[in-house]
Amino acid sequence: MNDIGNETYRVRMTGISKRYNTIQTLDNVSLSLRPGEVLGLVGDNGAGKSTLSKVLSGAVIPDAGTIEIDGKVVSFSSPADARSEHVEMVYQDLSLCDTVDVAGNIFLGREPRRRILGVPFLDKKRMHDEARAMLDRLGIVIADTGLKVENLSGGQRQSIAIGRAASFEPSVLIMDEPTAALAVAEVEAVLDLIRAVSARGVSVILITHRLQDLFLVCDRIQVMYEGRNVAERRIEDTSIEDVVNLIVGRKFQARSARRSEDNGVRP
Amino acid sequence: MNDIGNETYRVRMTGISKRYNTIQTLDNVSLSLRPGEVLGLVGDNGAGKSTLSKVLSGAVIPDAGTIEIDGKVVSFSSPADARSEHVEMVYQDLSLCDTVDVAGNIFLGREPRRRILGVPFLDKKRMHDEARAMLDRLGIVIADTGLKVENLSGGQRQSIAIGRAASFEPSVLIMDEPTAALAVAEVEAVLDLIRAVSARGVSVILITHRLQDLFLVCDRIQVMYEGRNVAERRIEDTSIEDVVNLIVGRKFQARSARRSEDNGVRP
Amino acid sequence: DTFALVTINQQALFFNQINEGAQKAADAAGAKLVIFNANNVPSAQNDAMENYITQKVDGIILVAIDVNGVKPAITAAKTAGIPVIAIDAQIPEGDNVAFVGVDNTKAGEDIGKFYADYVKANMAGTAKIGVIGALNSFIQNQRLDGFKKAVADSGQKITFLDTVDGQNVQDVALTAAENLMTANPDMTTLYATGEPALVGAVSAVTSQGRTGDVKVFGWDLTKQAVEGIDAGWVTAVVQQDPAGEGKAAVEALVKLKKGEKIEPIINVPVTIVTKENVDQFRGMFK
Amino acid sequence: MANGSVVSIAIFFLVVCLLFSGITDAFLTAPNLLNIVRQSAPLLIVAAAMTFVITTGGIDLSVGSVLALVATLSAVTLQAGLPWPLVIIAMLLLGAAVGAIQGFFIAYERIPAFIVTLAGLSVIRGIALLITGGYSIPVEATSPFTVIGRAWFLGVPVPALIALVVLVVAYLVFNETRFGRYVTGIGANAEAVRRAGVDTRLTTMMVYILSSTAAAAAGIILAARLGSGSSNAGQGFELEVIAAVVLGGTSLFGGRGTLVGTVLGALTVAVIGNGLILAHMSPFFTPIVTGTIILVAIWLNFRLFRGAIRSR
Amino acid sequence: MANGSVVSIAIFFLVVCLLFSGITDAFLTAPNLLNIVRQSAPLLIVAAAMTFVITTGGIDLSVGSVLALVATLSAVTLQAGLPWPLVIIAMLLLGAAVGAIQGFFIAYERIPAFIVTLAGLSVIRGIALLITGGYSIPVEATSPFTVIGRAWFLGVPVPALIALVVLVVAYLVFNETRFGRYVTGIGANAEAVRRAGVDTRLTTMMVYILSSTAAAAAGIILAARLGSGSSNAGQGFELEVIAAVVLGGTSLFGGRGTLVGTVLGALTVAVIGNGLILAHMSPFFTPIVTGTIILVAIWLNFRLFRGAIRSR
Ligand SMILES: Nc1ncnc2c1ncn2[C@@H]1O[C@H](COP(=O)(O)OP(=O)(O)OP(=O)(O)O)[C@@H](O)[C@H]1O
Ligand SMILES: Nc1ncnc2c1ncn2[C@@H]1O[C@H](COP(=O)(O)OP(=O)(O)OP(=O)(O)O)[C@@H](O)[C@H]1O
Ligand SMILES: [Mg+2]
Ligand SMILES: [Mg+2]
């Protein structure tokens, strides 16, 4: 991880605003991210976390604001633009094609091809082999990469979305509640993955409501409230209780986010 | 909560099996639930938790097995049958109608009506008033109960699904990962809700991957693994580490499910 | 003066020739002619007539689809003082001032009689015949009924094989005609009740290589039909004079306008075109 | 989308009306406007019912055929001497029965609506053709039956009054009853509605009963107005109805329906047809102009209202 | 559903074939079978392209009109003395251009495909009418152009060969290329495909270019076969094509398409039409029997394969 004092940013978003009809979803929000840094983005439901990250992934076009990637001002008019700047995102609603199979979803938009008589056909064997390897790496049990994703369990679907975003050498990886539907071992695998990619210099934005996870992988935490930035903390300078209070906007006793032994759980 | 030794069951499912093509999703699974009891149902992704609970809610018809409610054998051929036995469920995929408004989704299938000239028209005012009251009770911020749910945030959508299931005097309430998308204060509200309804005698099945929550509300935990029952524990007799090992099926070190201070989080 | 012509569709040459004849006559009389195409929808004709009545045109010429269904509109026109002339399809007990055209049943009998005579003279009095019709067309059904009646009256040994529905669309008629020939390898003659059916029949006979042993009879000349007549396997085609009908209808309206009297039935005769007289029609298809 | 679309089609409708008022003198006269509503009564009635069908995510291609069958059978039964009130009741019941059969296959046997009603289209028109033998069957002009299609009441044509009643009832049912709610819900997420304990199959079958019954009512009105039953009636009517509904802003994918939009869509189609006749458009240009007007106008409205409809 | 449906339509197809082989002698003869494939070549070609359109969740109602326009324009240009290879190329380009215009409105301006192509249906057939003035325009029987519709090659009719090539290419593109993948993906979840960085608008426009070009090819074949171009060619063709596609198991909601199913669906429709004539069915019964066969057979297959299709 780089020196926090360093002024080279991978991502700098400034003055981002977005309005939907009557709701000001984002109101002059900023966000910055250094190479290899893991930023935890937290906030109440409806605070605008997903919308802000979709702005960075090109899926939402903001009403105002600028985005710089590696010091260069960019303007994303579609996710394809963001992808070509190596920004990848795991969407909260997963964005899978239900009637396409597991391998097809993982490689969507980047299918490997091989030329037969000069015509670029899909290389299905390679797709299935690589998909299998990728799932195994993430510790995901899916019987067959040829299954359509519509019938998979919630956690299996989420794993596919994660596998897709993480596998194509992103330089910025945005994960919007990637572990919400995952069981305990799979959560560990995702946290390991985040540590591994950030060690390789990938910048990561992690949106999650599992606050304890933040303290396992993040370098910094940014808190949003009703569409605005309200606080930013280096991980060393904060605690779960502090973050809870920032999210809720007042002093709040959250038993589910407290240290386990207080809840009567035997060590 | 009733005496665990008591032989009056609210729900008894025995020998439930379900096969999808090549996958034996449920294999001779049993489940029992006493009045007012809160059962935690846990297991790896794809273990069959959602499918089992859908059998109880009538959304999936099992290949084999019997269900008894209050000692009476029932056979659910549709969710309407289960609803008439007061079984309510919050589905993992939420099951909302995107183009219907918030109030409409909350009251779906149970819209209040008033007669004008003998014709039963929807009582829209009452729907919106009661929906507003219900959301406030759960601490959910949604600007307008007339908004279509398609544009709500992930957590807002989940809150609506919870509000719907909890509000109609169920005698069995099944919650399939109800807190996955919720922020910290909303999670607390849901846990409070579970405690409150179970105190009123409602039996609750809670499926969750947030293991620490189990220890806050459950009386008993049942663990599934690849479509089978593998363990059952009274909450007093177990610990997070124990549950993690049962879920994963072997000794497993999960930092994200350990006591917080081991993770370097300052108390 | 403004006259309105309400027609059935514009996908058959026949109706377009009515339009042309009427247009020429209107130009000659210095009147304005507006044309409405109902695209085969019966109620659209009523709609159009009602619209013209509110607009107070000076006369309406009507080629009816549903001869009963247009009666209320004709009555409404009469009440409004607007004369209606029916072309091609007669209105039973209608309030129209005149009918211009062909008696389809009668002309069907004519070609039926011609056919029976031909069978008697050239096929030793026995023949098997297949029919390509258009079941949804009132006048084409009349043509078939008249034809059948004349054939039955003739006493020749003629067997009616299948009737297939060409739906008044060329490609449908072609497919139906091909299948008709496969179904009845022993068929010796074909009768097509309208222009699309005849085009389909002619193409089918060629494509199935049956020009040697099937004789075609039908309605409404086209270039392919003329070529078939030249080659000898299209025997006879009923040719109407649609332009003449259109012209006669406009002229009748003009006369009425001047206060003159007209005949209630203005007959425009048909011609049965054969090798002998085909030359006089050749010019139409250059 | 539904709301943006209603505004869009409303503006479009006004523009078309203004246009024709400018071009032709006859357009903006009471008799002509009454003509338009009388002529479009069958379209309005069936389009209202079709809005329910399409909002569930279904489609009914058989309405034109049902209309033809009912028109011919009304004429046949009247000719056979049946009293006219009996004929009307029998025909409406026939429509409901046809809808129930089609709805059964769609809702309970889960066969795609497109296939079922396309088969229905073929079979039902075939029966009409068989009954009439391709000829048209007259209805006595003196029969009180024809009142339904021709009479005026309080200065308004009876078919228009019938359409008005049907539209008001349809609007209330669609927006103010449980049934209407479930129709929208089924189109949005049928499984969610089923899980809410609603009998989605019955609801689905009901919408097809509605559309076929509406088609039967349209057939009765048409037979009464024309004084004749012809198996040719209502050819291509299904596309016209669906076009009116879709033009009004109801989504073919289900879940978004608007009855106000449907009424505007149907009237727009009717006004364009009427206006072009009054403007003495050459019949060769009519289809070209009709299609172009619709496309360009919808396009302009989509451009103007894009922001309102859905912004990314 | 796609797989279960293909099995279902395949069995249905076999049953229909066996039935007609039993009832009629002429059915199972080489000339008749070749007739069937020749007659259905235009249907097969357009249905293959329509499978792409419907799989994206779209629809193209204008194919019958494009077919008519191309058929008439081919005849007109040949009459004007243009060399036949030029005519073919120009007509295919015309088809592509029409598709691009419609696709532009659908993909880039987001106007519902139903409205755009319904307007297209009206405008394009209007243009064909205007060009021909209602006359059917002959193609010289001696022109090499007619080879496309009438000639035989290696004992197989040329139209059937063209259809075969189109189908093989379509199958490969649909199942083995990125483009085919995105077509399915757009039907399943267009936003997901867009988020994956795919230009979904271009892909959507392309499928309409495909369908219009295929309709143009069908128009060329038809003009060559009939030896004449008529503006009433291909009336109702769009419904026939869509029926073949849906019968084959492609879902009108998009995301699930099968080309094998489409071929079987199209051939089934063609075989029923052919077989009923061979069986000397009265034309009055033909539509009734056709509709009933389709419905009953699909129903039986849904019952038998329900388990395989989707169990709850
Ligand atoms: N397309 C849209 N149209 C209208 N309103 C929208 C749209 N997208 C988001 N919103 C509104 O913007 C607000 C922020 O939504 P967003 O999804 O960004 O929240 P979030 O912080 O991700 O919440 P959660 O933690 O629940 O996922 C919500 O109130 C939501 O209703
Ligand atoms: N309709 C279906 N068709 C085919 N397979 C299915 C279907 N429903 C579930 N399955 C399979 O059954 C298995 C169990 O699924 P289920 O959703 O019950 O898991 P779960 O325990 O809820 O997992 P998660 O924690 O990820 O939600 C999965 O492997 C899934 O792929
Ligand atoms: Mg979010
Ligand atoms: Mg689950």
Side-chain angles (χ1 to χ4, degrees), chain C:
Chain C
D1 292 3
T2 303
F3 302 132
L5 196 168
V6 175
T7 185
I8 295 182
N9 67 45
Q10 293 181 307
Q11 287 146 9
L13 179 55
F14 182 84
F15 300 120
N16 290 290
Q17 288 176 337
I18 292 182
N19 297 354
E20 282 168 19
Q23 188 66 57
K24 282 211 185 93
D27 291 347
K32 183 168 159 53
L33 183 76
V34 297
I35 302 176
F36 173 75
N37 167 13
N39 256 322
N40 302 318
V41 179
S43 62
Q45 294 195 323
N46 292 56
D47 295 353
M49 285 176 68
E50 287 165 3
N51 294 347
Y52 287 132
I53 294 166
T54 47
Q55 220 180 14
K56 303 201 172 48
V57 294
D58 299 292
I60 297 174
I61 301 164
L62 171 66
V63 193
I65 303 170
D66 175 352
V67 291
N68 291 308
V70 289
K71 286 200 290 195
I74 296 174
T75 310
K78 186 182 177 190
T79 317
I82 299 172
V84 177
I85 292 184
I87 296 195
D88 191 38
Q90 173 62 303
I91 314 297
E93 301 156 36
D95 280 327
N96 47 320
V97 294
F99 167 70
V100 175
V102 177
D103 182 337
N104 280 288
T105 314
K106 171 74 178 35
E109 283 176 28
D110 291 348
I111 178 83
K113 182 155 182 313
F114 180 93
Y115 168 74
D117 291 346
Y118 178 86
V119 170
K120 188 175 177 192
N122 299 299
M123 304 175 92
T126 50
K128 294 190 168 172
I129 185 162
V131 179
I132 304 157
L135 298 186
N136 54 6
S137 164
F138 168 69
I139 54 175
Q140 292 198 34
N141 286 328
Q142 286 187 323
R143 292 172 189 172
L144 180 54
D145 291 348
F147 183 87
K148 279 188 170 164
K149 178 168 178 297
V151 168
D153 290 348
S154 74
Q156 302 301 317
K157 266 193 67 199
I158 293 167
T159 323
F160 276 88
L161 304 166
D162 302 311
T163 300
V164 293
D165 189 0
Q167 297 171 13
N168 241 350
V169 176
Q170 287 184 358
D171 36 325
V172 176
L174 167 58
T175 300
E178 285 180 350
N179 292 339
L180 176 68
M181 276 184 263
T182 313
N184 302 286
D186 53 347
M187 187 171 74
T188 52
T189 49
L190 256 179
Y191 177 52
T193 60
E195 180 195 312
L198 186 60
V199 172
V202 167
S203 300
V205 171
T206 324
S207 83
Q208 302 294 299
R210 299 282 293 274
T211 48
D213 56 350
V214 172
K215 299 284 180 227
V216 177
F217 299 78
W219 284 70
D220 301 339
L221 277 180
T222 54
K223 183 154 193 274
Q224 291 103 316
V226 172
E227 285 167 3
I229 291 175
D230 291 340
W233 50 274
V234 175
T235 309
V237 175
V238 180
Q239 178 62 4
Q240 310 171 78
D241 180 8
E245 294 179 15
K247 177 162 172 282
V250 171
E251 284 169 352
L253 282 178
V254 171
K255 273 191 190 165
L256 277 176
K257 200 73 193 164
K258 289 188 191 142
E260 297 171 27
K261 285 198 76 72
I262 56 166
E263 289 294 314
I265 293 187
I266 302 165
N267 211 342
V268 179
V270 300
T271 322
I272 293 182
V273 181
T274 61
K275 222 176 183 123
E276 278 67 55
N277 59 0
V278 67
D279 286 339
Q280 62 193 85
F281 295 92
R282 219 177 276 282
M284 285 168 66
F285 305 103
K286 271 291 151 261

Side-chain angles (χ1 to χ4, degrees), chain A residues 20-21 23 25 43-52 54 92 176-177 209, chain B residues 147 151-156 181 183, chain D residues 311:
Chain A
Y20 285 115
N21 305 326
I23 303 166
T25 301
D44 200 358
N45 290 129
K49 306 178 295 298
S50 297
T51 308
L52 179 64
K54 281 185 198 160
Q92 187 172 15
D176 195 354
E177 309 198 17
H209 294 299
Chain B
L147 287 176
N151 293 328
L152 296 183
S153 84
Q156 290 167 333
Chain D
S311 49

Side-chain angles (χ1 to χ4, degrees), chain E residues 11-21 27 268 271-272 293:
Chain E
I11 292 180
F12 177 24
F13 177 69
L14 283 178
V15 169
V16 171
C17 285
L18 284 177
L19 192 80
F20 285 125
S21 310
F27 181 78
T268 304
V271 163
I272 293 179
I293 291 185

Side-chain angles (χ1 to χ4, degrees), chain B residues 5-22:
Chain B
N6 186 328
E7 269 308 317
T8 61
Y9 287 109
R10 173 69 49 78
V11 175
R12 259 171 72 104
M13 301 171 77
T14 39
I16 305 285
S17 296
K18 178 78 190 178
R19 186 178 192 84
Y20 286 114
N21 305 327
T22 53

Side-chain angles (χ1 to χ4, degrees), chain B:
Chain B
M1 280 156 257
N2 294 36
D3 183 351
I4 302 267
N6 186 328
E7 269 308 317
T8 61
Y9 287 109
R10 173 69 49 78
V11 175
R12 259 171 72 104
M13 301 171 77
T14 39
I16 305 285
S17 296
K18 178 78 190 178
R19 186 178 192 84
Y20 286 114
N21 305 327
T22 53
I23 303 166
Q24 188 73 36
T25 301
L26 294 178
D27 184 4
N28 192 21
V29 180
S30 305
L31 183 148
S32 59
L33 194 61
R34 292 186 176 71
E37 189 182 27
V38 180
L39 173 71
L41 186 60
V42 293
D44 200 358
N45 290 130
K49 305 180 295 297
S50 297
T51 308
L52 179 64
S53 49
K54 282 185 198 161
V55 168
L56 183 55
S57 78
V60 166
I61 300 171
D63 301 334
T66 54
I67 307 176
E68 286 169 39
I69 305 259
D70 293 325
K72 191 178 83 214
V73 174
V74 293
S75 141
F76 295 155
S77 63
S78 81
D81 296 346
R83 245 192 176 185
S84 69
E85 296 284 345
H86 303 285
V87 177
E88 292 284 338
M89 172 158 175
V90 181
Y91 291 89
Q92 187 173 15
D93 59 4
L94 304 183
S95 290
L96 302 177
C97 291
D98 272 350
T99 58
V100 174
D101 65 11
V102 172
N105 266 287
I106 289 178
F107 285 94
L108 194 63
R110 265 178 309 216
E111 294 80 359
R113 290 177 292 184
R114 69 202 158 108
R115 298 198 163 263
I116 299 174
L117 305 174
V119 187
F121 286 112
L122 293 179
D123 191 345
K124 288 193 179 168
K125 186 170 169 338
R126 206 173 118 204
M127 278 168 67
H128 284 282
D129 291 349
E130 292 187 11
R132 165 64 48 219
M134 189 178 299
L135 293 176
D136 290 346
R137 253 196 324 275
L138 286 170
I140 300 158
V141 186
I142 292 180
D144 181 356
T145 53
L147 287 176
K148 302 215 162 140
V149 303
E150 60 191 333
N151 293 328
L152 296 183
S153 84
Q156 290 167 333
R157 292 168 60 89
Q158 189 149 39
S159 306
I160 291 166
I162 295 169
R164 170 161 87 190
S167 307
F168 295 96
E169 301 302 329
S171 70
V172 178
L173 176 60
I174 310 168
M175 299 186 124
D176 194 354
E177 308 197 15
T179 56
L182 294 187
V184 51
E186 286 79 2
V187 171
E188 287 298 307
V190 170
L191 297 180
D192 286 343
L193 177 83
I194 292 175
R195 275 186 290 256
V197 298
S198 82
R200 288 208 307 270
V202 177
S203 308
V204 179
I205 297 177
L206 172 65
I207 301 174
T208 185
H209 294 299
R210 295 171 54 108
L211 302 181
Q212 67 276 33
D213 293 357
L214 294 172
F215 291 88
L216 295 171
V217 293
C218 293
D219 301 312
R220 196 157 48 92
I221 290 173
Q222 175 166 337
V223 186
M224 291 183 68
Y225 189 79
E226 296 192 351
R228 297 186 312 280
N229 290 115
V230 291
E232 214 184 304
R233 295 278 187 281
R234 294 169 58 144
I235 200 76
E236 309 89 83
D237 306 338
T238 188
S239 67
I240 283 205
E241 285 77 6
D242 185 26
V243 174
V244 167
N245 292 341
L246 286 170
I247 292 173
V248 182
R250 61 187 161 84
K251 197 115 195 80
F252 188 81
Q253 282 284 43
R255 293 217 295 162
S256 59
R258 267 196 297 171
R259 290 176 304 150
S260 330
E261 61 268 52
D262 298 354
N263 302 334
V265 182
R266 294 184 317 166

Side-chain angles (χ1 to χ4, degrees), chain A residues 197-236:
Chain A
V197 297
S198 82
R200 288 207 307 269
V202 178
S203 308
V204 179
I205 297 177
L206 173 65
I207 301 175
T208 186
H209 294 299
R210 295 171 53 110
L211 303 181
Q212 68 275 34
D213 293 356
L214 294 172
F215 291 87
L216 295 173
V217 293
C218 293
D219 301 313
R220 196 158 48 94
I221 290 174
Q222 174 167 338
V223 186
M224 291 182 69
Y225 189 79
E226 296 192 351
R228 297 185 312 279
N229 289 115
V230 291
E232 213 185 304
R233 295 279 188 280
R234 293 169 58 142
I235 200 77
E236 310 89 81

Side-chain angles (χ1 to χ4, degrees), chain A residues 54 58-59 78-80 83 91 93 95-101 104 108-111 113 120-122 124 127 150, chain E residues 1-2 172-173 175-178 181-182 184-186 188-189 191-199 254-256 310:
Chain A
K54 281 185 198 160
S78 81
R83 245 193 176 183
Y91 291 89
D93 59 5
S95 290
L96 302 177
C97 291
D98 272 350
T99 58
V100 174
D101 63 13
L108 194 64
R110 266 178 306 216
E111 293 81 359
R113 291 177 293 183
F121 286 112
L122 295 179
K124 288 192 179 166
M127 279 168 69
E150 60 192 333
Chain E
M1 164 155 168
L172 289 177
V173 170
N175 292 296
E176 302 293 335
T177 69
R178 283 193 177 181
R181 237 340 123 80
Y182 301 156
T184 306
I186 287 171
N189 187 344
E191 179 64 8
V193 180
R194 188 179 85 93
R195 288 179 179 175
V198 176
D199 189 340
R256 294 169 210 273
R310 178 175 291 218

